[in-house]
Structure formats: structure tokens, C-alpha cells
């Protein structure tokens, strides 16, 4: 979510939210009875059993301050955005960012020094969108990634090899579509929602270029995205599945031979299918193409309104930089994620064999994260165009020209702020 102070203070409802968040922090802004500084650490509500107990255990183990964990159900991003404008918000908070608004608005502290000597051990793809003006504003906690699951036995029966190019993927999806089985599942919308910029990166392009302008102002973008319509036109895509792409049920139940999903689904797939599956990055397209793997990470950030910024930074460094056991536990004991530190990902026993090891290698070698400058406005414009290209067969060149213009205008706007 992107929310500015002007937008937030412009409605009575937002003011009510701000007041509620500011008056219900549940912590002493000074210190604890034993003289230790009191810190408040906010997390969004995870669906994975055991996660809340784990983060409370980590906080209790910290000896230099009294850390109170707040587990925040509901609209977490909105709650946090409002609370950061008050003096009674969190000292440390989990964030799917920080956002450009939060950084440019001076709401989050510079955490660059926390990674002195270890910066190169953090996955560079997920660290990039936490970095602005050469400074680091959030410490990645765990890495989530998406890739292509494929059913080995179904590919073998059809005489199909695991696809390594986009053209091979299109051909494989058609060949694997038989009777009640579809070749590929990219989500019930046909893929526009989940794929995002992944096909552009597979073509050797990007959402935002190094020059700060649209990174897909190139004929290769239209060529690649135009190919995705063939999947829809060929009726190779599974549509209307009982659950969407993030759930592996369609793949496990044999409704599709290939499915785009996330690393979190791997344990369920392995439990159901044993070794009868593999994983692949999104395949490359064109002479400049390369395999593409989207990655993302929640981060720990420190509020500049905290009265104990120095102590909050020390705590974040202890938890997400120094405590290797906690970081591995958080990534793999309650769900299935990759530790943000490369050295920990290599050591983790659960990630050293089979499809899990392949997924770690793909995320490390081919991972990309959505750029910090890619705003919700641009996300909507691009996704709408991609949806028209995939489903309606809209002209990809015309659609992308409009998105390129919008992108360059929006990027100029955010850089002027």
C-alpha cells in the first residue's frame, strides 16, 4: 500500500484509524521495571501455525531490552501507515517494503550500518528494493519465490521435455492438454495477476531501467507478452479452478500438468506426489532472454518516531543479522521459505536436496524483485494491459506504448517528490 500524509489526513475515516492505532499500542514508551528500554515490535498476522509463538520466543530471548510483540490481524499495511504518523506507533515493524512514501517521508530509519561486513551475504535481489539513494531501509527476513511446477510422469507420457524457453512452454502446454487435464495453470485470470513483470525479465528487460525510465520500451516486450495470448487461444490454460494459483490443489489433483505457484506449496506437493514433480524458472525468451524468478521479502524496519531508535536498531541487528538459528527456524519450521542470508540458505538441511535445492539455486541465480519505484499506479496500468493482451488478444505493441508513457510520467513524478 502507498499512502501519503495528505491522503491519510484528508478523510475522517483515516483520522479515526490514526487515532485508534496511536492510542492502542499497549506499551510503555519509557522503560521497564528493571530499567531496560521497552520496545514494541509489530508483525502482520501469518497463517502459518506456530509463527506467532516463535516471534514471541525470539523477543523474550533478547536481553538488552524488553520487547513486546504485537501480532496485528486485519488491514496491517493501513494500520502501520497510520501509526507511523504518530508518536505511539511501533519502534520496530514488519513491512512488505518499506514503501517509497515511507522512505521519502522520513518515516523509516537508515539501517545501512546494520549490514556492515555482511551485506554481500544477503540475497541481492530482495535487498535491492529495500535500498534507496544507496542506503538500506529494511532488513530482509525471509525470501519467498515463485516458479513452475511440472509433473514428471505426465510430461514423459506426452513425450515432452521440461521447457527452457517460452516457445517450448507454449508447445508443452498444448501437448499436455488432454481430456480433463490442462497443460498449464497460471491462475484463474489467465496469468495477468501473478506473472506481472516476470515475462519481461525473461526477455532480458525490466520494469524500471537503470536510467530510471521504463525498462520495457523495447520491441522484445511486445513480442514476449504477445506469445502469452497463444496459451489462452489454444485453450491450454486451466481456468476456473477450485482454488487459485497460490494453492497447489489443481496440480496435486491432476487438473493441470504444470502450474505456476510458490515455494510455500512445495511440501504439500511433495507429500502428495513424492518425487513425481520438478520445478523450473519462468523460461527465457529471445536472444537476450534469461530465466526469470520473482522473489520478495518482508523486512524489519525502524520508525523514526521511536524514542529509542538506537536500541531498536541494535535489536533488529541482533534478530535478523546475528541470530542464525532464529532466522533458519523462522524460514523453515512453520512454513517453507528461504533464509534471506545466502550462507544460511546453503546450510539449511531442508533446502539441500531435490526440488527445494533447485528452487534455492533458481532464486539465487535468476531472482528479481519488483523495483521500489514501481508504484501501485504502475502495477495497475501494466496488469490491466497484460490482462487485455492475454485474454482479449489486444495488440501488445499498442498496449505497451500506453503503459510506457504512463510509466515514464509516474517515475518522473515520484522522483520529483
Amino acid at each position: 500500500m502507498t499512502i501519503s500524509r495528505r491522503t491519510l489526513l484528508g478523510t475522517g475515516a483515516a483520522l479515526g484509524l490514526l487515532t485508534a492505532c496511536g492510542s492502542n499500542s499497549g506499551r510503555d514508551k519509557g522503560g521497564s521495571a528493571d530499567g531496560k528500554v521497552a520496545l514494541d515490535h509489530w508483525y502482520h498476522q501469518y497463517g502459518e501455525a506456530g509463527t506467532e509463538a516463535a516471534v514471541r520466543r525470539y523477543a523474550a530471548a533478547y536481553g538488552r531490552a524488553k520487547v513486546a510483540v504485537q501480532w496485528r490481524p486485519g488491514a496491517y499495511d493501513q494500520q502501520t501507515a497510520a501509526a507511523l504518523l504518530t508518536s505511539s506507533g511501533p519502534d520496530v515493524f514488519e513491512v512488505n517494503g518499506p514503501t517509497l512514501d515511507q522512505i521519502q517521508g522520513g518515516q523509516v530509519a537508515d539501517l545501512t550500518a546494520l549490514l556492515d561486513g555482511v551485506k554481500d551475504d544477503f540475497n541481492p535481489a530482495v535487498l535491492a528494493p529495500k535500498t534507496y539513494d544507496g542506503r538500506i531501509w529494511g532488513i530482509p527476513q525471509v525470501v519467498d519465490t515463485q516458479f513452475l511446477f511440472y509433473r514428471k510422469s505426465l510430461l514423459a507420457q506426452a513425450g515432452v521435455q521440461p521447457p527452457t524457453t517460452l516457445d517450448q512452454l507454449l508447445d508443452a502446454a498444448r501437448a499436455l492438454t488432454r481430456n480433463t487435464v490442462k497443460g498449464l495453470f497460471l491462475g484463474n485470470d489467465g496469468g495477468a495477476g501473478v506473472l506481472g513483470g516476470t515475462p519481461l525479465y525473461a526477455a532480458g528487460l525490466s520494469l524500471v531501467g537503470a536510467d530510471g525510465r521504463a525498462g520495457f520500451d523495447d520491441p522484445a516486450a511486445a513480442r514476449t507478452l504477445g506469445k502469452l495470448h497463444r496459451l489462452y487461444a489454444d485453450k491450454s490454460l486451466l481456468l476456473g479452478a477450485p482454488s487459485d494459483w497460490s494453492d497447489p490443489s489443481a496440480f496435486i489433483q491432476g487438473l493441470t500438468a504444470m502450474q505456476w505457484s510458490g515455494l510455500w506449496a512445495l511440501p504439500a506437493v511433495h507429500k502428495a506426489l513424492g518425487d513425481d514433480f520438478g520445478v523450473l524458472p519462468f523460461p527465457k525468451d529471445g536472444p537476450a532472454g534469461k530465466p526469470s524468478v520473482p522473489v520478495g521479502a518482508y523486512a524489519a524496519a525502524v520508525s523514526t518516531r521511536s524514542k529509542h531508535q538506537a536500541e531498536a536498531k541494535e535489536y533488529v541487528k541482533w534478530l535478523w543479522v546475528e541470530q542464525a538459528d532464529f532466522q533458519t527456524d523462522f524460514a523453515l519450521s512453520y512454513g517453507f521459505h528461504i533464509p534471506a542470508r545466502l550462507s544460511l540458505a546453503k546450510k539449511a538441511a531442508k533446502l539441500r536436496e531435490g526440488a527445494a535445492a533447485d528452487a534455492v539455486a533458481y532464486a539465487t541465480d535468476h531472482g528479481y524483485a519488483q523495483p521500489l519505484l514501481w508504484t501501485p499506479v504502475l502495477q495497475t496500468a501494466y496488469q490491466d494491459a497484460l490482462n487485455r493482451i492475454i485474454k482479449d488478444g489486444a495488440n501488445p505493441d499498442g498496449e505497451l506504448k500506453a503503459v510506457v508513457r504512463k510509466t515514464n510520467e509516474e517515475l518522473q513524478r515520484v522522483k520529483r517528490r
Side-chain angles (χ1 to χ4, degrees), residues 142-184:
V142 296
V143 178
D144 279 315
T145 184
Q146 300 164 16
F147 43 78
L148 187 69
F149 286 85
Y150 67 93
R151 188 79 172 266
K152 292 179 180 179
S153 59
L154 294 181
L155 267 67
Q157 290 169 18
V160 172
Q161 293 296 315
T164 59
T165 69
L166 181 55
D167 288 331
Q168 290 176 7
L169 177 64
L170 303 181
D171 291 340
R174 173 186 279 181
L176 291 164
T177 299
R178 299 179 172 186
N179 301 319
T180 60
V181 179
K182 289 292 188 177
L184 178 61

Side-chain angles (χ1 to χ4, degrees), residues 46-410:
Y46 284 75
E48 299 158 333
T51 310
E52 181 180 1
V55 297
R56 293 189 185 280
R57 174 166 51 84
Y58 306 156
Y62 186 62
R64 297 196 290 273
K66 288 288 187 180
V67 181
V69 168
Q70 285 204 39
W71 198 249
R72 309 286 296 194
Y76 176 82
D77 289 344
Q78 291 91 328
Q79 293 176 27
T80 305
L84 290 179
L85 301 178
T86 77
S87 59
S88 54
D91 298 288
V92 179
F93 63 100
E94 185 179 58
V95 61
N96 188 15
T99 67
L100 189 61
D101 279 351
Q102 290 166 342
I103 296 170
Q104 292 182 328
Q107 297 175 349
V108 291
D110 179 357
L111 304 183
T112 308
L114 273 59
L115 297 191
D116 283 351
V118 296
K119 178 182 175 182
D120 290 344
D121 193 37
F122 278 77
N123 186 303
V126 295
L127 192 59
K130 319 297 181 193
T131 305
Y132 183 71
D133 267 352
R135 315 301 293 173
I136 297 167
W137 305 93
I139 306 300
Q141 298 173 173
V142 296
V143 178
D144 279 315
T145 184
Q146 300 164 16
F147 43 78
L148 187 69
F149 286 85
Y150 67 93
R151 188 79 172 266
K152 292 179 180 179
S153 59
L154 294 181
L155 267 67
Q157 290 169 18
V160 172
Q161 293 296 315
T164 59
T165 69
L166 181 55
D167 288 331
Q168 290 176 7
L169 177 64
L170 303 181
D171 291 340
R174 173 186 279 181
L176 291 164
T177 299
R178 299 179 172 186
N179 301 319
T180 60
V181 179
K182 289 292 188 177
L184 178 61
F185 184 39
L186 297 174
N188 284 323
D189 67 350
V194 64
L195 289 182
T198 300
L200 296 177
Y201 285 84
L205 305 173
S206 62
L207 290 170
V208 179
D211 59 358
R213 295 175 62 80
F216 51 96
D217 188 5
D218 188 294
R223 181 196 67 219
T224 295
L225 296 189
K227 290 181 180 181
L228 298 178
H229 174 64
R230 185 179 134 192
L231 290 165
Y232 191 84
D234 285 350
K235 301 188 184 301
S236 301
L237 292 178
L238 173 63
L239 301 171
S243 55
D244 216 342
W245 66 270
S246 60
D247 188 319
S249 297
F251 183 68
I252 290 171
Q253 294 168 11
L255 302 179
T256 181
M258 299 183 291
Q259 176 176 335
W260 188 260
S261 192
L263 180 65
W264 56 84
L266 196 147
V269 173
H270 185 266
K271 182 178 179 180
L273 302 179
D275 294 327
D276 187 23
F277 78 99
V279 296
L280 293 169
F282 192 89
K284 64 182 180 181
D285 187 49
K290 55 187 178 182
S292 179
V293 178
V295 297
Y298 270 88
V302 172
S303 170
T304 53
R305 287 186 175 266
S306 168
K307 295 180 180 179
H308 305 292
Q309 280 192 54
E311 293 86 351
K313 290 179 181 180
E314 287 180 10
Y315 164 63
V316 169
K317 182 176 182 180
W318 174 84
L319 179 55
W320 295 117
V321 179
E322 298 174 352
Q323 299 304 304
D325 289 346
F326 288 167
Q327 292 161 34
T328 302
D329 178 68
F330 189 68
L332 292 163
S333 294
Y334 317 101
F336 208 71
H337 314 273
I338 303 173
R341 296 193 63 168
L342 299 175
S343 60
L344 299 183
K346 291 178 182 178
K347 293 177 184 177
K350 292 182 179 180
L351 299 175
R352 294 174 67 179
E353 295 181 353
D358 292 338
V360 172
Y362 296 148
T364 303
D365 296 341
H366 307 303
Y368 86 90
Q370 188 163 288
L372 179 63
L373 294 176
W374 191 251
T375 67
V377 169
L378 295 179
Q379 178 71 9
T380 299
Y382 172 78
Q383 187 169 318
D384 287 349
L386 184 55
N387 187 63
R388 290 189 291 268
I389 292 169
I390 292 175
K391 285 190 171 183
D392 302 334
N395 182 283
D397 186 62
E399 291 286 343
L400 284 176
K401 282 182 178 178
V403 180
V404 165
R405 287 195 298 272
K406 180 71 174 178
T407 298
N408 289 333
E409 291 170 0
E410 177 73 353

